Amino acid sequence: MQTDRSSKLSTPNATMGPKLTDKKRKSREPEPESDDELGNGLFDGVLSQSEDEEDYIPSDDEKEGEDEDEDDSGTEGTEGSEDEGEDEDDILSEDIPSDLDAEEEMDKLVKQGEELEITEPGVDPKPREDDSMEKNFRIEKDANGGERYVYDEIDAAYDSDDTDAQGPVNTIGDIPLSFYDSYPHIGYDINGKKIMRPATGDALQSLLDSIEVPKGWTGLTDVNTGNPLNITQEELEIVRRVQMGLLPDDLQDPYPDTVEYFTSIEEKMPLSSAPEPKRRFVPSKNEAKQIMKLVRAIREGRILPYKPPEEREREEQEEDEVHFDLWQNEEPQAPNPMHIPAPKLPPPGYDLSYNPPEEYLPANKEREAWENADPEDREKEYLPQKYIALRKVPAWGTLVKERFERCMDLYLAPRVRKNRLNIDPNSLLPKLPSPAELKPFPTVVQTIFRGHEGRVRSVAIDPTGVALATGGDDGTVRVWELLTGRQVWSIKLSSDEPVNTVRWRPAKDAFILAAAAGEDIFLMVPTHASVTPVLDQASRDVLAAGFGYATNGQGQTLPAGKEPPAKWARPGTKLEDEGVLIRITVRSTVKVINWHRKGDHFATVSPAGQRSSVAIHTLSKHLTQIPFRKLSGLAQTAAFHPLRPLFFVATQRTIRCYDLQKLELVKIVQPGAKWISSFDMHPGGDNLIVGSYDKRLLWHDLDLSNRPYKTMRFHSEAIRQVRYHKGGLPLFADASDDGSLQIFHGKVPNDQLENPTIVPVKMLKGHKVVNKLGVLDIDWHPREPWCVSGGADGTARLWM
């Protein structure tokens, strides 16, 4: 039996507890580039506003690890138990039965002991003579048939000197009750009987006992019996008197009356027995002189022995008048929000003196200005004056008026206590570094590019940093040498439409420029001194590869009667001779062009195009796709993520982020602006800046929240363009219609626990405002801390 029990107890539980899963924050390391990053380039309608997308509700904190498995199943091991009722009596029995022979021998010895009596040592015992002695015990049979001695209960009233003492109920001595935790009893009484453990109530009974507390209950338990310990009223009174420092017995007077050892009758005795001198009975001459003075004053009328009737009536009237004292019953109180004492008047200054210093005295012009001003407009109600002596100072004419106004102010003005902290406001501002420590950044204009007729709408620096492309209202695209400002190439794309945007292909394996004029997008290879024949031929091959792709029948197939979203064609012999090789015609005017970092895809935005406002073009396939069937809002701009296969589309109020591999909506950024004009992604990919027409520049941390991290207002007019520096320098800038550029130092730390550092370092002014339009576009040099800007004044400027 014991072996089976031990084997069952040693069996481990069959199941374990639920597993714990750890949530890890996503890494900031860029994902490796893959060839199928954009899902094989099939975007036609896949990013449309479906029902699932409309039901998408963005949250402030993007949660991760939503697909982690949780182990909800868990069982607890049980231990088997067997019925041991058969052995319980043997285990709990205290009397072990002996053999039959031993029992007979014990009976004989007991009988002989009762019949014999030992009188002397060494002498045979004699039979007892007196068996009539009273015994204080009786012999009973126990459960095993043996004899046991049972003693009578001791009555303390007769057998003890202390009648108040209570005999010990439990005879276990100093053994703690914890030794009996595994037994149903807690000790033995004087007869050896088991004292059973008191019954414990359930939770409901414990609650009732705590509500209805019995009289004398102390919350303690008797260490011998385990029963609640109740004390009497007399014991409670003794405890109370001891706690108060009184005598335990109230019958004894701690302060008895003192015994008067001396009499309380005061006895006065003279110090000497000499008789009183005569001078004590003669009137004093000094008192006589004072009396004569009073008599003389009464005769002269300087002292009246009685009051005149007029003065007596005036005093009676003053006594009848009732005067109210606002602070008659005001007592000193501790300072608290409900009590505010009346303010005190400030002490007088030097200008209130009757002989003030010369610098406090007003000049003639100041006196005339004070006299001609209205009383409400005067800073002071008095003019400082100088007197030779104090006795020549006249009475204050407006004393009663001032006191009356002060009493009215104290009576009518509400007094509210405001808890203010004595904190310097400047100490609450963050400690920003000095702009001198954050150099280099552009400070002055180095080159001015003139040649366009009308506004310069767009500027762009090529990836090598040697050429600058500009587009303007005159419909021309011009290429300049960046450092010298010399124009090296120009082409007129349209005579009616302005060139809204120009953007270089980001890859350095080709020298390709994209420009948009009206509904046409032109891809060209400009002529520049840095373009070698090999680079020029490679650029032309990149643009011509798509024509062979379409010729082989691998182009996009459309249903019958449906027009393609764009037409790819050659622009004509005249433009081809100048370097313009491809014309893409879309359905509405193009305002924005943004390239993918690999240079094979670029996105265009036509705000007036409705469902076809956003298009993605594939250069190697001459393919144009409309990724959205429906857009919730008017599209403003679009851009690709610099590291991951993500696509951002900005409407008037929100910016939506889509995953081009999974073809789903990832995040909705809410800048809170009324009308978004532009945005740009940080090269690290975790931050973006947004410019708006309501004069605000907003910084967003995409890992932190979909709300702005910082909002900056440094311009008085709308912000047209915002740009990050792509060459690793912590710089970004914005362009505004007030004709200025604001340069910022924006450092993004590698530590995720540290916030970005944003410091405005320089405001560049130079462009003129024409028809309420200032700076329209900006761009950064790929390596140096230089930026270029194009304005409505027809010039482009290089800032160093």
Side-chain angles (χ1 to χ4, degrees), residues 621-643:
K621 301 179 181 179
H622 286 190
L623 178 65
T624 299
Q625 301 176 79
I626 306 299
F628 302 101
R629 296 191 184 95
K630 178 183 177 183
L631 270 176
S632 60
L634 188 62
Q636 300 296 313
T637 181
F640 293 94
H641 194 278
L643 300 176

Side-chain angles (χ1 to χ4, degrees), residues 80 88 119 131 155 188 230 243 283 317-318 368 385 393 431 499 544 569 588 607 666 680 690 707 741 756 772:
E88 182 178 1
T119 57
D131 293 338
D155 190 0
Y188 306 91
N230 298 332
Q243 288 181 347
Q317 292 177 359
E318 292 179 355
E368 292 178 0
Q385 298 181 7
V393 177
K431 303 299 181 183
V499 177
S588 57
V666 177
D680 193 23
V690 181
R707 295 289 182 178
L741 288 81
K772 297 183 180 180

Side-chain angles (χ1 to χ4, degrees), residues 14 24 40 71 150 165 215 242 258 278 290 309 315 349 447 449 496 505 569 642 664 725 727 774:
K24 298 182 179 179
N40 296 325
D71 297 336
V150 179
K215 186 175 182 181
V242 170
T258 58
K278 186 178 180 181
Q290 296 295 334
E315 290 182 355
T447 307
F449 305 88
D496 300 331
R505 184 174 180 267
E664 63 182 9
H725 193 285

Side-chain angles (χ1 to χ4, degrees), residues 166-215:
Q166 184 178 2
V169 179
N170 201 344
T171 60
I172 61 174
D174 296 335
I175 298 176
L177 288 178
S178 60
F179 284 19
Y180 291 90
D181 290 344
S182 61
Y183 296 98
H185 61 283
I186 58 174
Y188 306 91
D189 59 2
I190 193 172
N191 292 324
K193 294 182 180 180
K194 299 177 182 179
I195 301 177
M196 303 308 294
R197 188 183 304 277
T200 58
D202 53 0
L204 179 59
Q205 187 63 32
S206 301
L207 177 62
L208 295 177
D209 293 342
S210 62
I211 296 175
E212 300 177 0
V213 179
K215 186 175 182 181

Side-chain angles (χ1 to χ4, degrees), residues 181-408:
D181 290 344
S182 61
Y183 296 98
H185 61 283
I186 58 174
Y188 306 91
D189 59 2
I190 193 172
N191 292 324
K193 294 182 180 180
K194 299 177 182 179
I195 301 177
M196 303 308 294
R197 188 183 304 277
T200 58
D202 53 0
L204 179 59
Q205 187 63 32
S206 301
L207 177 62
L208 295 177
D209 293 342
S210 62
I211 296 175
E212 300 177 0
V213 179
K215 186 175 182 181
W217 178 81
T218 59
L220 304 176
T221 305
D222 193 349
V223 296
N224 293 328
T225 62
N227 295 323
L229 184 62
N230 298 332
I231 60 177
T232 61
Q233 189 66 27
E234 290 78 7
E235 293 173 342
L236 284 174
E237 182 65 21
I238 292 174
V239 173
R240 185 188 66 83
R241 294 181 65 86
V242 170
Q243 288 181 347
M244 296 178 62
L246 304 178
L247 294 177
D249 190 4
D250 58 349
L251 299 179
Q252 182 179 357
D253 189 4
Y255 305 106
D257 297 336
T258 58
V259 179
E260 298 291 345
Y261 294 98
F262 300 94
T263 178
S264 59
I265 300 175
E266 183 180 0
E267 297 181 357
K268 296 181 179 180
M269 300 181 64
L271 298 179
S272 67
S273 60
E276 293 289 338
K278 186 178 180 181
R279 63 178 178 271
R280 297 188 180 178
F281 300 95
V282 177
S284 174
K285 294 182 179 181
N286 189 21
E287 292 179 356
K289 290 181 180 181
Q290 296 295 334
I291 293 173
M292 291 306 298
K293 287 182 180 181
L294 294 175
V295 171
R296 193 180 298 112
I298 292 174
R299 290 176 180 176
E300 294 176 357
R302 293 186 282 109
I303 297 179
L304 299 178
Y306 57 90
K307 294 181 179 180
E310 297 82 5
E311 184 177 355
R312 199 178 309 152
E313 292 178 0
R314 186 174 62 255
E315 290 182 355
E316 292 178 357
Q317 292 177 359
E318 292 179 355
E319 292 178 358
D320 296 339
E321 292 179 358
V322 179
H323 300 279
F324 297 96
D325 189 0
L326 297 179
W327 298 279
Q328 179 180 3
N329 300 325
E330 187 174 12
E331 298 178 358
Q333 298 182 8
N336 57 71
M338 302 304 295
H339 173 73
I340 303 176
K344 296 182 180 180
L345 287 175
Y350 290 105
D351 54 351
L352 289 175
S353 174
Y354 74 93
N355 189 14
E358 296 295 335
E359 58 268 17
Y360 288 96
L361 297 177
N364 294 332
K365 294 183 179 180
E366 296 176 353
R367 185 182 297 274
E368 292 178 0
W370 184 85
E371 292 176 353
N372 295 332
D374 294 335
E376 295 81 6
D377 300 335
R378 295 173 181 173
E379 295 182 0
K380 300 179 180 179
E381 296 182 357
Y382 59 90
L383 281 177
Q385 298 181 7
K386 188 172 184 179
Y387 300 95
I388 300 175
L390 182 60
R391 65 178 181 275
K392 295 186 177 181
V393 177
W396 184 246
T398 59
L399 177 64
V400 178
K401 180 181 177 183
E402 281 189 355
R403 291 294 179 264
F404 175 76
E405 290 179 352
R406 171 167 170 77
C407 291
M408 293 301 296

Side-chain angles (χ1 to χ4, degrees), residues 510-738:
F511 194 74
I512 298 175
L513 178 65
E519 298 178 356
D520 297 329
I521 305 167
F522 297 91
L523 299 177
M524 60 198 77
V525 182
T527 302
H528 193 268
S530 63
V531 180
T532 62
V534 177
L535 182 61
D536 182 82
Q537 186 61 37
S539 302
R540 293 176 181 272
D541 293 342
V542 170
L543 295 179
F547 289 106
Y549 183 87
T551 304
N552 296 332
Q554 299 176 359
Q556 184 179 11
T557 59
L558 298 173
K562 185 176 181 181
E563 296 183 359
K567 296 179 180 180
W568 294 65
R570 300 185 185 274
T573 306
K574 183 178 180 180
L575 291 179
E576 288 182 8
D577 294 341
E578 296 292 338
V580 182
L581 303 180
I582 296 177
R583 171 187 286 176
I584 308 170
T585 304
V586 295
R587 300 174 181 176
S588 57
T589 303
V590 177
K591 295 290 186 180
V592 177
I593 296 177
N594 278 319
W595 286 86
H596 188 263
R597 68 179 182 276
K598 291 185 177 181
D600 191 29
H601 303 274
F602 64 93
T604 60
V605 178
S606 304
Q610 297 180 358
R611 64 171 296 271
S612 61
S613 58
V614 180
I616 296 179
H617 309 270
T618 305
L619 186 61
S620 61
K621 301 179 181 179
H622 286 190
L623 178 65
T624 299
Q625 301 176 79
I626 306 299
F628 302 101
R629 296 191 184 95
K630 178 183 177 183
L631 270 176
S632 60
L634 188 62
Q636 300 296 313
T637 181
F640 293 94
H641 194 278
L643 300 176
R644 296 192 288 270
L646 301 178
F647 187 60
F648 291 84
V649 177
T651 57
Q652 292 181 349
R653 293 181 179 270
T654 61
I655 300 176
R656 296 174 180 266
C657 176
Y658 297 90
D659 192 328
L660 296 179
Q661 286 184 340
K662 299 180 180 179
L663 304 179
E664 63 182 9
L665 177 66
V666 177
K667 182 188 287 290
I668 297 180
V669 181
Q670 298 177 350
K674 295 181 179 179
W675 196 305
I676 297 174
S677 62
S678 60
F679 75 91
D680 193 23
M681 294 294 301
H682 190 270
D686 292 334
N687 298 270
L688 64 85
I689 50 176
V690 181
S692 64
Y693 291 113
D694 53 352
K695 314 172 189 178
R696 288 188 291 178
L697 176 64
L698 306 109
W699 179 295
H700 279 267
D701 190 342
L702 298 180
D703 290 340
L704 183 64
S705 173
N706 60 353
R707 295 289 182 178
Y709 165 66
K710 289 291 183 183
T711 301
M712 292 158 279
R713 299 177 178 88
F714 292 98
H715 294 284
S716 58
E717 299 295 336
I719 295 177
R720 291 281 176 178
Q721 189 62 262
V722 291
R723 287 286 180 188
Y724 276 112
H725 193 285
K726 307 298 183 181
L729 296 177
L731 296 173
F732 67 96
D734 62 354
S736 174
D737 280 342
D738 58 5

